[in-house]
Amino acid sequence: MQKNHNKKMSLTMQIMIAMISGGLLGLALNLWFAENSFIQNFIINGLFNVVGTIFVSSLKMMVVPLVMVSLITGVTSLGDINALGRIGGKALLLYLLTTAVAITLALSIAVTFDPGAGFEMENAQTEFAAGEPPALSKVLIDMVPTNPISAMAEGSMLQIIVFALLFGIAITLTGEKGRHVLNFFNDLNVVIMKMVEILMKLAPFGVFCLIAKTFAGQGLELLAPLAKYFLVMVAALGLHAIGTFSLLLSLVGRLSPWLFFNKIRAILAFAFSTASSNATIPITLRTVESRLGANNSVASFTVPLGATINMDGTAIMQGVATVFIASVYGVDLSMNDYLTVILTATLASIGTAGVPGVGLIMLAMVLGEVGLPTEGIALIIGVDRLLDMIRTAVNVTGDATVTCLIAKSENALDETIFNDPQAGLLENEAEDVDAEQNSLLDNEK
């Protein structure tokens, strides 16, 4: 089986290796070259910053046209307009449910391990200015774009979703003339997905530079005073991502969690590297459709909606951070306070959707509701960048999970694709899977 050694490494494996090696290099640069001006200016803030920023920008470049075109083709493929309302209702309910479970789980773990116990505030930053959250009425009003072109230029995701839904419905109701327009969007969708595949092949370089730059600036010394908080947060995020979503997939969807997580590795790597659910939309859409078998009619709606309002990872941060700050300031929270945190964080996941710095705004709202000082947010900012990367990975896992569950309930999930390890792989990757399986068989013999 010598020929197997000549096979190219799979893209997913390349991305994982790039992520690990970038992290190790970043930590090494932080430990040994933190004072070296050449390394800092020309390597970290030069090469790594330029390549990483270009990579994220290229992903964001694809978001608006992909969401717009994919959603229009998805709506028209439904045929039944009533199905759109049903899918939307299920998506909203599931996203709110998983967010409520996430915040409840986070509070339970945080109360058990008390991450704020013994924390020293002597040298901690204590000033933080929280932005004002928008009123729910304003969020609802702003969902309808006064200028759809401006909404696309600004990347206002909820406005883009609303306009694309209306446009797709109009095409469906127009009849024969609408089909000519639809044919154009169907062809355009294929072209845009091909662009996404091209970007995915360049991903290892972008991921390596993003991770290396992040870890070069976020050294391990930042974790020392907040180690317990960091570990409790990671444990809560991991338990929700693996435990909650696995239970939903196996009990509600009757789908294999192992296959699911194996197929979304690329999504997780992209989300972790970019710390942006919106930037990961092109990869998430392609993966849930081509790798997991969800029909575009469902995925085109649930994925961009989830990237906008699904805040599971952020909700977990609300829970752990609230308990941490309360412990540091010596405030005892009652059961009513905990229930208030759950309700506020769940509803705020919609009310603050699409607002820059949404995580900190939501946390400020939660702290205000239970009488804790918002200045306490400053205590955790030092490690928030690393945790934000993990939170984003949890969020996109929720987007993919909900998409599969809704697609299954709508008979819009091709389980043949879901259960096929090779389905939806990029060019040469199917051969890589065969090579790996043959290699395992040879070793067993």
Side-chain angles (χ1 to χ4, degrees):
M1 293 295 174
Q2 182 64 35
K3 63 179 181 179
N4 289 339
H5 296 290
N6 297 325
K7 300 290 185 184
K8 291 183 179 180
M9 187 182 299
S10 70
L11 178 66
T12 303
M13 185 58 67
Q14 291 178 39
I15 293 173
M16 300 303 293
I17 291 175
M19 191 166 64
I20 294 171
S21 57
L24 293 175
L25 177 61
L27 288 174
L29 292 176
N30 181 273
L31 289 172
W32 297 315
F33 297 97
E35 305 300 326
N36 188 304
S37 59
F38 175 81
I39 296 294
Q40 292 294 321
N41 295 330
F42 294 96
I43 302 299
I44 297 174
N45 296 317
L47 178 64
F48 291 165
N49 181 57
V50 170
V51 175
T53 302
I54 289 175
F55 175 63
V56 174
S57 297
S58 66
L59 288 175
K60 290 182 177 179
M61 171 186 70
M62 300 303 305
V63 171
V64 171
L66 179 61
V67 170
M68 178 76 180
V69 174
S70 183
L71 194 48
I72 289 173
T73 57
V75 170
T76 53
S77 67
L78 279 174
D80 180 14
I81 302 301
N82 293 328
L84 185 61
R86 189 171 63 246
I87 292 172
K90 289 179 181 178
L92 189 60
L93 179 63
L94 277 173
Y95 283 136
L96 286 175
L97 175 64
T98 58
T99 300
V101 171
I103 185 70
T104 304
L105 180 65
L107 286 172
S108 302
I109 294 176
V111 168
T112 302
F113 293 98
D114 192 10
F119 180 80
E120 298 292 337
M121 288 186 60
E122 294 177 4
N123 298 319
Q125 179 186 355
T126 56
E127 294 183 2
F128 175 80
E132 285 294 323
L136 180 58
S137 59
K138 180 172 174 54
V139 173
L140 294 175
I141 292 171
D142 289 344
M143 285 176 59
V144 180
T146 56
N147 185 341
I149 304 302
S150 176
M152 294 176 206
E154 296 171 2
S156 302
M157 198 53 59
L158 281 176
Q159 293 186 355
I160 294 170
I161 291 173
V162 169
F163 178 76
L165 288 174
L166 291 174
F167 197 85
I169 292 171
I171 290 177
T172 302
L173 298 177
T174 303
E176 186 62 34
K177 291 184 178 180
R179 290 196 188 93
H180 298 298
V181 179
L182 177 59
N183 290 336
F184 166 76
F185 279 103
N186 283 333
D187 292 340
L188 186 58
N189 192 43
V190 174
V191 174
I192 291 175
M193 292 305 291
K194 179 57 68 174
M195 291 179 67
V196 173
E197 291 184 8
I198 293 172
L199 290 178
M200 287 184 70
K201 292 180 180 179
L202 300 175
F205 303 101
V207 167
F208 175 83
C209 291
L210 284 171
I211 296 296
K213 180 180 182 296
T214 298
F215 279 81
Q218 303 276 322
L220 292 178
E221 68 274 7
L222 286 175
L223 298 180
L226 292 167
K228 192 173 182 182
Y229 167 79
F230 185 89
L231 292 174
V232 169
M233 184 76 79
V234 171
L237 289 166
L239 187 58
H240 182 65
I242 298 174
T244 303
F245 294 137
S246 292
L247 285 174
L248 284 173
L249 286 166
S250 57
L251 298 180
V252 179
R254 303 294 179 182
L255 299 170
S256 166
W258 185 88
L259 271 174
F260 172 83
F261 282 103
N262 187 50
K263 288 190 171 190
I264 67 166
R265 287 181 298 172
I267 302 179
L268 299 179
F270 275 90
F272 183 81
S273 305
T274 62
S276 170
S277 296
N278 278 354
T280 314
I281 285 177
I283 314 304
T284 307
L285 260 177
R286 186 198 176 278
T287 301
V288 297
E289 291 178 16
S290 301
R291 297 280 284 135
L292 296 173
N295 193 282
N296 176 257
S297 61
V298 172
S300 63
F301 179 71
T302 57
V303 169
L305 181 66
T308 307
I309 71 169
N310 179 33
M311 303 282 183
D312 286 7
T314 305
I316 288 172
M317 183 265 279
Q318 323 279 285
V320 177
T322 298
V323 174
F324 173 78
I325 292 171
S327 178
V328 169
Y329 282 92
V331 177
D332 291 326
L333 297 177
S334 65
M335 181 56 67
N336 285 337
D337 290 329
Y338 291 129
L339 293 175
T340 300
V341 171
I342 294 172
L343 181 61
T344 304
T346 303
L347 296 180
S349 65
I350 295 179
T352 55
V355 178
V358 63
L360 296 181
I361 290 177
M362 287 174 64
L363 180 55
M365 292 172 60
V366 170
L367 294 178
E369 288 295 321
V370 294
L372 291 173
T374 57
E375 291 82 3
I377 296 175
L379 302 174
I380 62 175
I381 286 181
V383 294
D384 194 64
R385 168 62 183 177
L386 292 178
L387 290 172
D388 190 24
M389 299 164 76
I390 304 174
R391 292 199 300 266
T392 306
V394 173
N395 287 341
V396 297
T397 303
D399 298 344
T401 301
V402 169
T403 298
C404 287
L405 293 177
I406 295 177
K408 179 72 179 291
S409 70
E410 293 288 323
N411 294 319
L413 182 73
D414 190 333
E415 293 192 55
T416 303
I417 293 178
F418 185 96
N419 294 319
D420 182 3
Q422 298 184 12
L425 291 172
L426 294 177
E427 188 178 354
N428 295 328
E429 285 197 294
E431 296 178 357
D432 297 334
V433 173
D434 285 336
E436 293 172 6
Q437 292 176 341
N438 290 335
S439 178
L440 288 173
L441 290 174
D442 290 341
N443 291 336
E444 289 176 0
K445 292 177 181 178

